[in-house]
Amino acid sequence: MAEAGREQAAAAAAGAEIGEEEQPARSFVPNWRKNEARSHKAGTRSTIFWVKENPRYRSFKRDGKLVANKEPARYVMGSTYAGDWLHNKRHGFGTQTWASGNKYQGDWKDGKRDGTGTLWIKRGSKLQKEYTGQWRANKRHGLGVFYDPEGNKHEANWVAGRKNGRGKLFYVDGSVYEGEFEDDQRCGLGVLTYANGNRYEGHWFRDLREGTGSLFYLSSRKVLRAEWVDDSPTCGVYSDWDDAAETKSAEAHHAFKLPDLGLATPDNVLSQALKHARLARAEKHGQKESSAAAPAPVAF
């Protein structure tokens, strides 16, 4: 009987060991791994705050009461972001506010401004709109409107943060330019209407009037059709502005008679002056003389 009891106890112990082996072991996950998993940002999140070290705290630790009577907080509020995330990067729609007070609201891609959005800049105590439009990789790219610090307004197509293609530039003094841009400068064909009503229509190069262009004078109803070099006319024809429909008011029309030049061959003089001006431009910009030696005829 005693021997039978010992056999049953041994069998029970062996069964218990087998049962323990069949139960899966419980995996241990350290707290730091749990916290890291919680910190991964994906989807829409409420506002996330960043902090930065307070420079006054460092000064206090260095200079003590020379800086402040009470120890400042070691950390102060930095940037904030509320919006969409993907793989720990701002991605989708969201609003970022920087410690400087600058603010962006719009589309993001891989942690950068990308898509359509608006950027406000803190100037003094005011938050002013600087740019609204399309972005790519944190730069103005596509159609958009930019307000520069001087108060000018730029409506243009942008490439990597610079105006390229057609656009309009509204100056704070009331002048307006409409035409082509290249590398953030007026370049190509464009029309500049001055605040006083005068108007230039013609070619531009590196932000200067360059090439064939006409300057219309509203008050005298005259027009200068000329070849321009470095923003100044070198040769051309000064004549009456015959488009009376352009007159804004009777008071603006102060006609006067142009004096006769008395040249024997004025057309030949003009042609030679044009040739020399274009040759000088070709040499200045490193072009071949042959391309400018025979300029295309221009009807002035």
Side-chain angles (χ1 to χ4, degrees):
M1 292 290 292
E3 185 176 351
R6 285 194 296 271
E7 291 178 355
Q8 290 178 357
E17 291 178 1
I18 294 172
E20 289 178 358
E21 291 178 358
E22 291 178 351
Q23 293 179 358
R26 302 180 66 179
S27 59
F28 173 74
V29 179
N31 287 332
W32 68 266
R33 192 178 295 278
K34 294 178 182 178
N35 294 333
E36 184 184 28
R38 293 192 196 103
S39 70
H40 289 177
K41 296 177 283 295
T44 303
R45 290 288 189 96
S46 56
T47 304
I48 294 179
F49 300 85
W50 286 267
V51 296
K52 64 178 183 178
E53 190 173 23
N54 188 354
R56 296 185 67 247
Y57 173 82
R58 294 198 301 269
S59 300
F60 180 83
K61 286 298 183 181
R62 184 182 66 246
D63 302 325
K65 291 188 177 181
L66 294 174
V67 177
N69 292 325
K70 184 179 179 181
E71 180 177 314
R74 182 170 184 176
Y75 298 99
V76 293
M77 186 64 65
S79 304
T80 65
Y81 175 80
D84 299 328
W85 296 82
L86 182 65
H87 303 311
N88 280 331
K89 294 182 179 180
R90 293 170 295 243
H91 192 98
F93 184 85
T95 302
Q96 168 102 27
T97 303
W98 287 268
S100 62
N102 299 344
K103 176 182 176 181
Y104 171 79
Q105 185 176 60
D107 296 324
W108 298 80
K109 182 179 179 182
D110 293 330
K112 297 181 179 180
R113 298 185 292 272
D114 201 299
T116 302
T118 302
L119 176 66
W120 291 268
I121 298 295
K122 191 73 172 292
R123 295 191 176 109
S125 60
K126 295 182 179 180
L127 192 63
Q128 299 179 346
K129 183 185 295 184
E130 183 181 75
Y131 177 77
T132 182
Q134 296 175 313
W135 298 80
R136 180 181 292 175
N138 276 346
K139 294 183 178 181
R140 299 183 291 270
H141 194 93
L143 295 176
V145 180
F146 172 72
Y147 302 86
D148 65 33
E150 289 73 31
N152 305 318
K153 178 182 176 183
H154 309 246
E155 295 181 356
N157 182 72
W158 303 81
V159 176
R162 305 177 75 83
K163 296 187 294 292
N164 279 273
R166 291 198 60 82
K168 294 182 73 173
L169 176 52
F170 300 85
Y171 294 92
V172 68
D173 68 353
S175 302
V176 179
Y177 171 83
E178 182 172 5
E180 297 174 340
F181 291 90
E182 182 177 319
D183 197 25
D184 223 28
Q185 296 179 321
R186 295 169 296 187
C187 191
L189 286 173
V191 178
L192 176 61
T193 303
Y194 297 90
N196 61 5
N198 295 344
R199 186 176 76 247
Y200 171 82
E201 299 179 358
H203 292 267
W204 298 77
F205 183 70
R206 294 179 181 173
D207 233 18
L208 301 176
R209 292 170 293 188
E210 184 82 26
T212 304
S214 300
L215 181 58
F216 298 85
Y217 297 92
L218 180 64
S219 61
S220 62
R221 307 302 299 168
K222 304 297 178 184
V223 57
L224 172 62
R225 296 180 173 89
E227 187 76 11
W228 297 72
V229 176
D230 290 336
D231 216 35
S232 298
T234 57
C235 56
V237 176
Y238 190 54
S239 59
D240 289 324
W241 180 1
D242 55 8
D243 190 358
E246 293 276 351
T247 307
K248 292 185 177 180
S249 64
E251 292 77 15
H253 191 181
H254 303 291
F256 65 91
K257 184 178 180 181
L258 293 172
D260 294 329
L261 295 178
L263 295 175
T265 57
D267 292 339
N268 185 50
V269 172
L270 178 59
S271 177
Q272 290 299 316
L274 285 172
K275 180 179 178 179
H276 289 305
R278 291 169 181 173
L279 280 171
R281 179 184 302 113
E283 293 175 359
K284 178 180 178 181
H285 299 298
Q287 300 172 0
K288 294 181 180 179
E289 288 192 6
S290 58
S291 62
V298 179
F300 281 137

